[in-house]
Amino acid sequence: MIQYTDKIREIAGRLLKDGTVEVFIGYRKGTVPMMNEPVLIRDPDQVDTLHWDVNCGLNLCNYLTRRTEKIGILATGCNSRNIVTHIIENQIKREQLYIVGIPCTGMVDHRAVKRAVGGKEILSAEQQGEKLIVKGADFEKTFEIKEILQSNCAVCRHRNPVEVDEMVADPVPEQEGVEPYKDVESVEGMEPRKKWEFFTRLISRCLRCYACRNACPLCYCPTCFVDESRPQWVGKSNDPTDTMTFHFLRAYHCAGRCTDCGACERVCPVGISMRQFTKKLNKDAEELFSWEAGLTLEQRPPLDVYRPDDYNDFIK
Amino acid sequence: MKNLLEHIGIEPGRLHFSWISSAEATKFVDVANQVYEAVKEVGPAQVFIKRLAEVA
Ligand code: SF4
Ligand code: SF4
Ligand code: SF4
């Protein structure tokens, strides 16, 4: 996306030069293909390191927590909703931010690409418009980006940022008729024992590396419950029960806050779909409280307010 | 919380929530009995159990 990249560099340079912001948070090309990485730029002469394409799936909001300077930041639909959530939760002030909005058409699932080339080493992956051209030592393959999107992006209903100061381009049309919770529904239809087996199998390869937690902007606690040792809330080994407790509680800590940005899933070294936990909570929040996280600065999230008509079927 | 636990395979009927004031003795007894009955019906827990390492 050369146009976006040029425009981002131009905006970042202008903001840093005229002092609107002291630091600009964006992406640069990663050292390996399909792994663009976050970068913080302070010097207007370095804006040329900024880069944008379909491999910018990490969530930049993660780098905002409790910063004190004036910050320029790129935001896709989901990232902007995390920024809104950060503001609501007092982790950053709106006045500190200059949000540069990106109309987003989705990020590429690097695992799907890797699978499609039979696990061979990929030496480069360049985006050309709607296509991704992937090259290795002895092969070249062209993908339609639409067909290799991350599973969260394929069902995304908020591709345009919700809170911006300036847009990089005109908004893109939102996807109509997507069924975001099909996977959750199929689990809901199972018997309890089958559900348990489904989730046990899902997390069986988990290494407890906590990359999913670290990549998530919602997980900003100074000491996470899994790291606490006095008291120790959950065992630290990879005992299956402890691992289930970790996943269950991590998801619950994201209840009513998760934007389904997919960063957690993207970074997992063993490819676990831990969004199956958070998506159930997103679905409940939507069905029981008509709530989708981070859409507005005006409303408090459901777990933070009491209304007499709140859902309470579970309480006797 | 209950919804997510049941979503990952804890049987409905195992987990109960209630709000009982210290003045509501009869409600407490009722709820305790209901919980007892409901849990008895689903039987002993088979999942989400941590077995401690056997020490010789
Ligand atoms: S979830 Fe939506 S806004 Fe976020 S990267 Fe995917 S398509 Fe873009
Ligand atoms: S839990 Fe995952 S999908 Fe949800 S906000 Fe955090 S990183 Fe994004
Ligand atoms: S990133 Fe993957 S392996 Fe690491 S703790 Fe999360 S689910 Fe487990």
Side-chain angles (χ1 to χ4, degrees):
Chain A
M1 289 296 270
I2 306 290
Q3 312 90 302
Y4 278 24
T5 302
D6 288 346
K7 186 81 188 170
I8 291 166
R9 290 176 184 170
E10 177 198 318
I11 295 174
R14 188 189 78 223
L15 295 175
L16 287 166
K17 269 196 209 112
D18 71 15
T20 312
V21 305
E22 292 154 74
V23 57
F24 189 89
I25 309 182
Y27 299 90
R28 69 173 164 213
K29 255 184 135 54
T31 46
V32 276
M34 298 192 287
M35 297 287 167
N36 292 340
E37 56 196 28
V39 61
L40 277 68
I41 303 229
R42 293 178 185 276
D43 177 354
D45 292 337
Q46 298 201 332
V47 293
D48 285 351
T49 37
L50 288 165
H51 179 76
W52 177 264
D53 63 25
V54 285
N55 301 302
C56 295
L58 289 177
N59 196 320
L60 293 182
C61 179
N62 216 4
Y63 302 89
L64 286 183
T65 313
R66 285 190 287 277
R67 278 191 170 274
T68 48
E69 67 271 70
K70 287 204 237 140
I71 308 159
I73 185 166
L74 287 184
T76 56
C78 55
N79 282 214
S80 78
R81 292 170 59 203
N82 281 106
I83 295 172
V84 166
T85 305
H86 250 51
I87 299 169
I88 288 182
E89 296 177 357
N90 298 325
Q91 296 306 312
I92 197 83
K93 292 200 189 70
R94 179 67 183 93
E95 307 78 77
Q96 272 173 274
L97 299 177
Y98 190 94
I99 305 172
V100 179
I102 299 201
C104 175
T105 47
M107 296 296 146
V108 157
D109 178 352
H110 59 93
R111 291 188 195 90
V113 174
K114 192 101 192 174
R115 274 196 303 274
V117 298
K120 287 196 214 150
E121 190 186 4
I122 293 168
L123 299 176
S124 80
E126 299 295 332
Q127 178 179 8
Q128 284 187 8
E130 313 275 294
K131 296 191 188 341
L132 188 72
I133 297 153
V134 176
K135 288 186 194 155
D138 59 349
F139 67 91
E140 176 171 337
K141 206 171 152 110
T142 302
F143 293 89
E144 287 292 332
I145 289 170
K146 268 207 306 294
E147 282 155 25
I148 46 167
L149 286 182
Q150 290 185 175
S151 61
N152 62 312
C153 297
V155 297
C156 174
R157 289 169 293 164
H158 302 282
R159 311 203 291 182
N160 294 297
V162 295
E163 179 75 25
V164 282
D165 293 297
E166 176 170 354
M167 289 287 276
V168 163
D170 290 333
V172 288
E174 294 291 352
Q175 308 194 92
E176 301 279 342
V178 287
E179 293 180 79
Y181 299 120
K182 253 187 145 158
D183 42 359
V184 183
E185 278 154 20
S186 82
V187 178
E188 280 171 342
M190 296 177 188
E191 289 295 309
R193 194 37 96 82
K194 282 268 168 294
K195 291 180 178 168
W196 181 259
E197 281 165 12
F198 173 86
F199 281 101
T200 305
R201 205 171 317 123
L202 186 80
I203 61 167
S204 61
R205 294 200 298 148
C206 176
L207 313 164
R208 298 286 289 282
C209 71
Y210 303 138
C212 47
R213 172 200 66 184
N214 285 14
C216 176
L218 305 174
C219 286
Y220 53 65
C221 296
T223 310
C224 174
F225 76 100
V226 293
D227 296 327
E228 191 93 63
S229 54
R230 282 195 204 177
Q232 184 179 312
W233 305 108
V234 52
K236 294 173 192 293
S237 69
N238 60 355
D239 173 282
T241 308
D242 289 333
T243 303
M244 185 64 91
T245 308
F246 159 60
H247 279 285
F248 175 77
L249 284 175
R250 182 196 79 89
Y252 203 73
H253 288 178
C254 303
R257 308 166 66 218
C258 170
T259 61
D260 207 29
C261 73
C264 46
E265 230 167 76
R266 180 182 178 85
V267 299
C268 178
V270 294
I272 290 174
S273 257
M274 73 297 280
R275 279 173 45 250
Q276 288 306 315
F277 291 86
T278 43
K279 278 188 83 177
K280 166 65 178 165
L281 292 164
N282 291 356
K283 177 167 181 279
D284 280 358
E286 204 169 328
E287 284 172 3
L288 305 172
F289 299 96
S290 312
W291 173 262
E292 285 180 89
L295 292 186
T296 163
L297 286 168
E298 308 301 320
Q299 209 184 336
R300 298 299 306 174
L303 288 185
D304 161 318
V305 283
Y306 169 73
R307 275 191 248 110
D309 61 347
D310 271 349
Y311 163 80
N312 64 356
D313 281 358
F314 60 95
I315 250 175
K316 287 207 194 79
Chain B
M1 186 83 156
K2 185 164 154 74
N3 280 8
L4 184 61
L5 271 169
E6 286 174 5
H7 190 66
I8 65 169
I10 302 299
E11 305 89 337
R14 191 169 299 288
L15 184 68
H16 298 261
F17 289 86
S18 187
W19 184 273
I20 309 175
S21 140
S22 59
E24 295 178 307
T26 42
K27 179 169 178 193
F28 180 77
V29 173
D30 287 350
V31 172
N33 279 329
Q34 283 166 21
V35 172
Y36 171 73
E37 291 302 332
V39 174
K40 202 164 129 188
E41 201 165 305
V42 283
Q46 306 290 332
V47 295
F48 222 161
I49 301 172
K50 181 168 179 180
R51 299 190 199 282
L52 294 179
E54 306 251 347
V55 272

